[in-house]
Amino acid sequence: MKYCSTCGQPVEQRIPEGDNRHRYVCTSCDTIHYQNPRIVAGTVPVWEGRILLCRRAIEPRYGYWTLPAGFMENAETTIEAAERETREEALAEVKIEGLYSIIDVPHINQVHMFYRATLKDGQFGAGEESLESRLFDVDDIPWNEISFPTVKRTLELFLTDLAQESFGVHVSDIRRPMGRD
Amino acid sequence: MKYCSTCGQPVEQRIPEGDNRHRYVCTSCDTIHYQNPRIVAGTVPVWEGRILLCRRAIEPRYGYWTLPAGFMENAETTIEAAERETREEALAEVKIEGLYSIIDVPHINQVHMFYRATLKDGQFGAGEESLESRLFDVDDIPWNEISFPTVKRTLELFLTDLAQESFGVHVSDIRRPMGRD
């Protein structure tokens, strides 16, 4: 951020009065521009004991498998965001079964939230951001081709809970790997 | 938003190619400025069967009672945000017991998340944004002076669960009241 979105003049980084963090503050109109984490919402879509994954048609992680998920938009709920992303990426309508995993990823200012879901009619396909979608048996999850750490962890938790037939809500975080930027 | 924070030139609202929503897009450098919901994180702090509330020293809802909560910051987790807000507003250190309520408030682009918590040592006070903090017996909650709908709902859920000695994770939403802006 270099310019004030309110008046177009340059911003500077400083700690506003009564605050204790550096913020972008306009040098002309004094508007403080706060920046906050974003929510990524998605689902673990299940149909007849199998899990629906999408193969990404976009970067990052082009060609890798993911659970349908994406940035939550203004004016929607987390459930609506999860349903929308599943519709857009997997062309699938789902019934939400419950909140499943919340994973904080503080080094990229994101919170990932996955809901358990069931396909409504078994129909699915490849949305614009997907090369293909496919139902995987639990023994056939392509672990070496999973797109993101939060997807891998959510799938691991899910398979453990599926084996025990008991689904909790899992809160955890993924920190920046040691020695990496 | 009137100006581009990247180059300082005017923005316009239009649907970018490949998108289906109106975004602020720079008329000069074409940067798309996405806007996303923010997370408010807080706690339900308990000490010896009583619940800690803070009386607000700031607008909105000056003088009303609230659970300690506030906007999550970049580079922290939801738990760290909840702990920090409890420290700042109630001068209290807490042990997080578990995620409790997630309430979507789509008409103001917010997601409120409350964690159950126990005071570590029974100490608390009034932070800069609080007039006072006080432990309330469950029968003495000042229902007519609660600051926000998400706080009221979280307290209602909590007292119900407390009576049953069983705490789940509650996902819900609060929509714009009919007939109001």
Side-chain angles (χ1 to χ4, degrees):
Chain A
M1 183 181 297
K2 291 179 180 173
Y3 297 93
C4 176
S5 56
T6 302
C7 78
Q9 297 304 303
V11 295
E12 62 181 1
Q13 277 201 300
R14 62 178 171 86
I15 301 176
E17 192 182 328
D19 201 339
N20 54 20
R21 289 168 190 256
H22 279 87
R23 312 284 183 185
Y24 289 103
V25 183
C26 181
T27 56
S28 175
C29 74
D30 288 334
T31 297
I32 303 168
H33 298 281
Y34 296 96
Q35 296 186 307
N36 301 89
R38 290 193 291 177
I39 293 173
V40 170
T43 62
V44 185
V46 175
W47 182 252
E48 297 178 344
R50 291 182 293 169
I51 300 168
L52 186 65
L53 299 180
C54 305
R55 202 152 70 86
R56 289 172 62 81
I58 54 172
E59 295 292 350
R61 298 292 185 188
Y62 180 98
Y64 283 72
W65 292 93
T66 187
L67 291 165
F71 286 114
M72 182 181 178
E73 300 275 6
N74 277 351
E76 66 183 1
T77 66
T78 51
I79 286 176
E80 289 167 350
E83 290 172 334
R84 177 181 52 72
E85 290 291 341
T86 308
R87 188 177 303 122
E88 288 177 0
E89 298 185 0
L91 305 184
E93 296 295 328
V94 290
K95 175 178 179 293
I96 298 293
E97 306 288 354
L99 180 61
Y100 188 62
S101 73
I102 297 183
I103 306 175
D104 290 288
V105 198
H107 63 279
I108 54 173
N109 307 318
Q110 292 181 8
V111 179
H112 291 212
M113 297 177 58
F114 289 94
Y115 284 88
R116 292 185 293 114
T118 305
L119 296 190
K120 280 185 176 169
D121 53 14
Q123 300 293 307
F124 59 90
E128 287 188 7
E129 298 182 0
S130 304
L131 297 169
E132 61 175 314
S133 294
R134 197 190 300 176
L135 287 170
F136 285 91
D137 285 318
V138 295
D139 294 332
D140 296 333
I141 303 287
W143 292 111
N144 292 327
E145 299 167 43
I146 298 295
S147 57
F148 302 111
T150 59
V151 172
K152 182 161 182 279
R153 179 174 295 176
T154 298
L155 286 169
E156 288 169 345
L157 290 165
F158 191 82
L159 293 200
T160 301
D161 284 0
L162 189 67
Q164 301 173 347
E165 294 180 8
S166 171
F167 295 94
V169 179
H170 300 272
V171 179
S172 65
D173 59 60
I174 289 178
R175 308 278 178 164
R176 184 198 303 273
M178 295 289 285
R180 288 205 204 161
D181 281 332
Chain B
M1 183 180 298
K2 292 181 178 171
Y3 297 93
C4 175
S5 57
T6 301
C7 77
Q9 296 304 303
V11 295
E12 62 181 2
Q13 276 201 298
R14 63 178 172 85
I15 300 176
E17 193 182 327
D19 202 339
N20 53 20
R21 288 169 190 255
H22 279 88
R23 313 283 184 185
Y24 289 104
V25 183
C26 181
T27 55
S28 175
C29 74
D30 288 333
T31 297
I32 303 167
H33 298 282
Y34 296 96
Q35 296 186 307
N36 302 89
R38 290 190 292 177
I39 293 174
V40 170
T43 62
V44 185
V46 175
W47 181 252
E48 296 178 345
R50 291 183 295 170
I51 299 168
L52 187 66
L53 300 179
C54 305
R55 202 151 71 86
R56 288 172 62 83
I58 53 172
E59 295 291 351
R61 298 294 184 185
Y62 179 98
Y64 284 72
W65 292 94
T66 187
L67 291 164
F71 287 114
M72 183 180 177
E73 300 275 4
N74 277 351
E76 66 184 0
T77 66
T78 52
I79 286 176
E80 289 167 349
E83 291 172 334
R84 176 182 52 72
E85 290 290 343
T86 308
R87 189 178 302 122
E88 289 178 359
E89 297 186 0
L91 306 183
E93 296 296 328
V94 290
K95 176 179 179 293
I96 298 292
E97 306 288 354
L99 180 61
Y100 188 61
S101 73
I102 297 182
I103 307 176
D104 290 287
V105 197
H107 62 280
I108 54 173
N109 308 318
Q110 292 180 8
V111 179
H112 291 214
M113 297 177 58
F114 289 93
Y115 283 89
R116 292 185 295 113
T118 306
L119 296 190
K120 281 188 176 168
D121 52 13
Q123 300 292 308
F124 60 89
E128 287 187 7
E129 298 183 359
S130 304
L131 297 169
E132 61 175 314
S133 293
R134 198 191 298 177
L135 287 170
F136 286 90
D137 285 318
V138 294
D139 295 330
D140 296 332
I141 302 287
W143 291 111
N144 293 326
E145 300 167 44
I146 297 295
S147 56
F148 302 110
T150 58
V151 172
K152 182 162 182 280
R153 178 175 296 176
T154 298
L155 286 170
E156 288 169 346
L157 290 165
F158 191 82
L159 294 200
T160 302
D161 284 1
L162 190 66
Q164 300 174 347
E165 293 179 9
S166 172
F167 297 93
V169 179
H170 300 273
V171 179
S172 64
D173 59 60
I174 289 178
R175 307 277 179 166
R176 185 196 305 270
M178 295 288 284
R180 289 206 203 159
D181 280 332

